[in-house]
Amino acid sequence: MESVKEIINSTSFLTKEDEALIQRAFDFVQKAHEGQKRLSGEFHLDHLCETAKILADLNMSPTVIVTGLLHDVIEDTEVDEKTLEKEFGQEITFLVNGVTMLGKLKYQGAERHKESLRKFFVAVSQDIRVIIIKLADRLHNMKTLSPLPEEKQKRIARETLEIYVAVAYRLGIRKISRQLEDLAFPYVYPEEYKKTKKLVNFKTEKEFERLGIFEKSVKKALAKNNIINFSTDYRIKTFYSIYKKLIRKEWNIEKIYDIAALRIILPEVKDCYNVLGIIHGIWRPLPDRIKDYIAFPKPNNYQSLHTTIFTGHGNIIEIQIKTKEMHQEAEYGITSHLVYKKETKDSSGSNFSWIKRLLPINKDSSLLEKKLNFDDIPSWIKDLVKYQNTQAEKDLQEDFFKERIFVFTPKGDVIDLPINSTPIDFAYTIHSDIGDHVGGARINGKMTAIDTCLKNGDIIEIVTDKKNSPNQKWLECVKTVNAKRNIRSALQKKNNLHLF
Ligand code: MN
């Protein structure tokens, strides 16, 4: 089959068994999604293959690639969890379930919820691989957004920009976040996009010409200094990041010097400083624009030397100097550490073997239990687990994400509660007065008993009734300390009234 070959050819680590597994998953989804078409007229199968291809391109493991093929099977077909587990095992089923759960995340509109939604996104997925699969799924959905109704396009694009781009960026997967950004931009800010495009198009043609000429001079200069082991390429800023910069520069494109930058990639860190010295010896740098992100990495762990120089004739060009590893890290982030290689005897001692232990984030491999050296862990991983860590300590060392659920208010506020919490817990978390007068609860639009256990992603609306007040039964169906305390004190007040 053509598509299976394309997936397999996108990666280089696969064994014959891996390839057979991918073929089997392809046959499985071909049958399960038979005849299903998307609004674009494409078969759903194309979407699944494209998602798997993006994952293969990131060099993800066969498990992840196969999950890319299977990711919609629970949501969109007759196949149930049991069948899936029988066919493809527990791990893949766990991943498919995670992706399905993330699909329930809907952007609720308000700016102030962005951060909570990102947290929710990370919390619900539990396993970093689920996030990466969801990012690949979203990337292909963004590429095929145009047949959708305008309102839906806007919602999905905004959600992509606010949540998915932010998550991909934090994981350092610039290769994905950059594409998502530029795909979403025209839908979210159509006028600004047009304006930016007009300004940039006028500029880039000239820019490319200049870069080409300058690249030759740089190569010559490095060769003269006996540096031959290097490569160069261009980095073009995305329309969206140019737009963000334009806002800061009063829409004056002449004030943006790094629309296109020349990259020089070298074997070692000392080569980078050496090359910076050579370049500054020939071309005069702009003051204040020399950035040493090798010694002082950006918060997302980005490393590189940046300088902006006068090339003569009034032209200015940004140069980025980095090692191959830094380049990999900048493009692929966390995925560059998950790159699939067949386990060999000596791979156990590799620098990043600890990452494997960190994944999936579940009870028997959590950071807490393994007592990994926290300082060895890059900041983007720390960001992911820090939240888990501090809360887990508060919750008596229990695995935070396993023990908490995330639910929404009708306005989209994210509330996190202990697992098995009920609408009563939810009500008391909002306000004690609402808690004291819970009359009923609407969960996802349906009236439900107030002792129902809440699930991740539920949207809850509390109906209050001034005549209602806490009773003994409530105490038995709440999980939060706050609710218990409030109910007890209300009950006590009631008793006191009876006494006097
Ligand atoms: Mn999908």
Side-chain angles (χ1 to χ4, degrees):
M1 205 65 200
E2 265 322 292
S3 333
V4 174
K5 255 190 211 139
E6 275 179 41
I7 297 168
I8 289 167
N9 289 341
S10 302
T11 183
S12 50
F13 297 117
L14 302 177
T15 64
K16 280 275 163 282
E17 293 88 74
D18 298 337
E19 292 182 14
L21 177 67
I22 292 169
Q23 180 69 55
R24 193 157 66 80
F26 176 84
D27 296 339
F28 186 85
V29 291
Q30 188 175 36
K31 212 172 139 213
H33 290 272
E34 197 180 350
Q36 283 181 10
K37 277 191 178 174
R38 316 183 87 203
L39 271 178
S40 57
E42 275 182 351
F43 280 105
H44 196 80
L45 189 64
D46 292 331
H47 164 65
L48 304 173
C49 290
E50 289 303 319
T51 305
K53 237 165 70 186
I54 294 167
L55 293 165
D57 197 48
L58 291 169
N59 275 325
M60 290 292 100
S61 71
T63 307
V64 174
I65 296 170
V66 162
T67 309
L69 282 169
L70 294 166
H71 79 267
D72 280 331
V73 97
I74 295 272
E75 185 77 16
D76 295 340
T77 77
E78 302 287 298
V79 175
D80 59 8
E81 252 184 83
K82 243 170 123 186
T83 316
L84 188 64
E85 194 171 325
K86 215 178 98 208
E87 290 287 329
F88 294 98
Q90 221 177 358
E91 192 180 12
I92 287 174
T93 307
F94 165 77
L95 293 174
V96 171
N97 274 333
V99 177
T100 308
M101 188 68 225
L102 271 192
K104 300 212 162 86
L105 174 78
K106 292 273 185 319
Y107 184 70
Q108 308 284 322
E111 279 283 303
R112 66 199 167 96
H113 303 309
K114 274 190 296 199
E115 200 48 36
S116 319
L117 284 167
R118 286 171 200 152
K119 242 176 236 169
F120 172 77
F121 191 100
V122 171
V124 168
S125 38
Q126 283 186 41
D127 186 309
I128 196 83
R129 293 172 300 176
V130 170
I131 297 182
I132 293 165
I133 295 159
K134 194 65 199 165
L135 287 171
D137 172 48
R138 179 52 61 105
L139 178 57
H140 184 249
N141 282 338
M142 286 305 298
K143 285 180 181 171
T144 50
L145 199 61
S146 58
L148 265 55
E150 206 184 310
E151 208 171 300
K152 215 169 169 190
Q153 287 176 347
K154 263 212 149 76
R155 181 187 65 75
I156 294 173
R158 188 173 284 277
E159 180 181 278
T160 300
L161 214 48
E162 305 289 14
I163 314 297
Y164 289 74
V165 168
V167 171
Y169 184 81
R170 265 196 219 171
L171 294 173
I173 317 170
R174 281 299 280 154
K175 193 167 162 89
I176 302 276
S177 72
R178 214 183 296 127
Q179 289 182 65
L180 288 175
E181 232 168 41
D182 264 5
L183 287 164
F185 183 28
Y187 294 104
V188 182
Y189 304 107
E191 289 311 312
E192 291 83 348
Y193 172 75
K194 275 183 217 150
K195 209 171 151 189
T196 306
K197 201 175 167 205
K198 228 168 126 190
L199 282 171
V200 173
N201 280 350
F202 171 73
K203 183 125 173 139
T204 37
E205 223 169 284
K206 276 193 295 179
E207 200 88 16
F208 268 121
E209 212 176 294
R210 288 193 302 149
L211 267 171
I213 296 166
F214 182 68
E215 188 185 14
K216 276 187 199 139
S217 329
V218 167
K219 280 182 174 166
K220 230 187 260 168
L222 294 188
K224 231 183 182 172
N225 286 276
N226 296 321
I227 296 170
I228 37 168
N229 192 4
F230 69 95
S231 63
T232 53
D233 69 9
Y234 307 151
R235 188 289 273 119
I236 310 293
K237 231 179 169 50
T238 62
F239 278 139
Y240 186 65
S241 52
I242 294 173
Y243 158 64
K244 282 194 293 190
K245 217 162 189 176
L246 277 170
I247 297 173
R248 294 200 305 270
K249 309 273 180 188
E250 291 103 25
W251 287 88
N252 183 354
I253 195 137
E254 297 305 324
K255 283 188 182 163
I256 303 181
Y257 303 128
D258 62 345
I259 288 179
L262 180 71
R263 267 192 204 127
I264 306 173
I265 296 157
L266 295 140
E268 284 181 64
V269 170
K270 65 177 195 302
D271 304 323
C272 297
Y273 288 104
N274 187 14
V275 164
L276 182 72
I278 293 167
I279 284 171
H280 282 178
I282 303 169
W283 295 281
R284 194 159 65 81
L286 262 74
D288 303 330
R289 292 198 54 95
I290 306 162
K291 307 252 166 66
D292 185 348
Y293 295 123
I294 292 180
F296 305 101
K298 284 191 188 181
N300 67 346
N301 230 29
Y302 176 83
Q303 286 192 295
S304 178
L305 298 174
H306 287 191
T307 183
T308 305
I309 53 151
F310 294 101
T311 62
H313 319 104
N315 287 329
I316 287 167
I317 279 175
E318 177 173 300
I319 303 176
Q320 304 180 348
I321 307 165
K322 57 186 95 179
T323 66
K324 211 174 161 190
E325 286 74 37
M326 289 171 192
H327 182 52
Q328 275 297 106
E329 173 87 40
E331 287 294 292
Y332 294 95
I334 192 166
T335 62
S336 64
H337 308 296
L338 295 174
V339 165
Y340 172 67
K341 291 181 192 83
K342 262 279 158 236
E343 290 283 339
T344 53
K345 265 177 202 153
D346 52 312
S347 73
S348 55
S350 83
N351 277 344
F352 294 105
S353 54
W354 57 265
I355 284 237
K356 281 187 202 137
R357 280 180 287 159
L358 203 61
L359 311 165
I361 301 170
N362 63 25
K363 271 216 161 97
D364 38 63
S365 62
S366 81
L367 183 71
L368 285 173
E369 284 172 21
K370 293 277 176 189
K371 293 202 169 53
L372 294 166
N373 183 359
F374 214 61
D375 292 325
D376 286 339
I377 298 169
S379 50
W380 33 264
I381 283 278
K382 278 188 202 165
D383 276 352
L384 277 178
V385 291
K386 196 161 48 189
Y387 187 61
Q388 179 185 23
N389 202 14
T390 52
Q391 289 291 334
E393 272 163 17
K394 276 187 208 154
D395 293 328
L396 307 167
Q397 307 293 318
E398 281 172 338
D399 189 336
F400 178 66
F401 291 140
K402 281 259 157 153
E403 304 300 330
R404 308 289 289 188
I405 52 162
F406 286 69
V407 294
F408 294 105
T409 70
K411 280 187 187 158
D413 280 314
V414 177
I415 308 285
D416 75 89
L417 294 166
I419 207 158
N420 293 327
S421 288
T422 61
I424 305 174
D425 288 298
F426 177 85
Y428 276 110
T429 310
I430 306 291
H431 197 281
S432 59
D433 212 38
I434 297 178
D436 282 342
H437 299 104
V438 177
R442 219 170 267 131
I443 303 181
N444 306 321
K446 253 193 242 150
M447 275 312 284
T448 319
I450 56 173
D451 60 354
T452 310
C453 285
L454 300 174
K455 291 191 309 294
N456 255 325
D458 280 345
I459 300 167
I460 298 132
E461 189 188 340
I462 297 296
V463 183
T464 51
D465 182 346
K466 281 284 160 216
K467 285 175 293 196
N468 250 19
S469 63
N471 59 50
Q472 195 63 36
K473 260 198 182 152
W474 283 20
L475 261 187
E476 288 153 31
C477 65
V478 294
K479 286 277 174 266
T480 52
V481 178
N482 178 41
K484 280 182 191 157
R485 199 181 45 230
N486 275 295
I487 295 168
R488 278 202 194 99
S489 96
L491 290 176
Q492 214 159 28
K493 260 185 220 157
K494 241 194 226 172
N495 283 340
N496 290 347
L497 278 178
H498 286 302
L499 286 174
F500 297 106

